[in-house]
Amino acid sequence: MGSNKAYSVTYSGQAERDLAKMDPRQRGIILTWIDKRLVGCENPRQWGKGLTGIRSREWRYRVGKYRILADILDVEIRIEIFKIGLRDKIYKV
């Protein structure tokens, strides 16, 4: 890559609500993970995994039992986190 792009991270309203409902300790773990790995990173794909099927534009990041769902917007050099939750619940519509 070598283009020195530093991605910013934004949160949707849903992601902010998900965080607000969480246990404060778990919320801290997730926000620390995001700050260390995603904020200012040059390659957000190295930490996650692309989803498939109708969700093939979406990426997921794993933090323990939790998942962070995001869109990687390369043109804007931005990662939009749109949902955060437990693995067994997050993929349900």
Side-chain angles (χ1 to χ4, degrees):
M1 286 202 121
S3 56
N4 289 339
K5 295 187 290 185
Y7 280 77
S8 63
V9 174
T10 58
Y11 297 86
S12 71
Q14 178 64 55
E16 288 179 354
R17 287 188 296 279
D18 293 342
L19 284 167
K21 288 187 272 184
M22 232 175 251
D23 167 76
R25 185 176 168 278
Q26 187 60 49
R27 179 174 45 240
I29 290 168
I30 288 172
L31 290 173
T32 298
W33 190 95
I34 291 167
D35 284 344
K36 281 185 175 177
R37 289 172 183 82
L38 299 181
V39 174
C41 75
E42 291 183 25
N43 179 12
R45 289 169 178 84
Q46 72 181 328
W47 304 109
K49 187 173 188 177
L51 298 181
T52 58
I54 61 169
R55 302 182 91 157
S56 62
R57 289 182 36 251
E58 300 172 6
W59 282 76
R60 73 118 167 107
Y61 299 96
R62 186 169 69 115
V63 183
K65 291 189 273 186
Y66 283 82
R67 298 297 180 269
I68 300 165
L69 298 183
D71 286 322
I72 299 174
L73 307 164
D74 291 313
V75 173
E76 299 173 33
I77 314 174
R78 182 167 65 92
I79 303 161
E80 183 183 36
I81 295 173
F82 62 87
K83 196 166 184 181
I84 302 169
L86 287 167
R87 187 194 80 218
D88 60 348
K89 295 184 175 88
I90 196 162
Y91 298 109
K92 295 181 175 119
V93 179

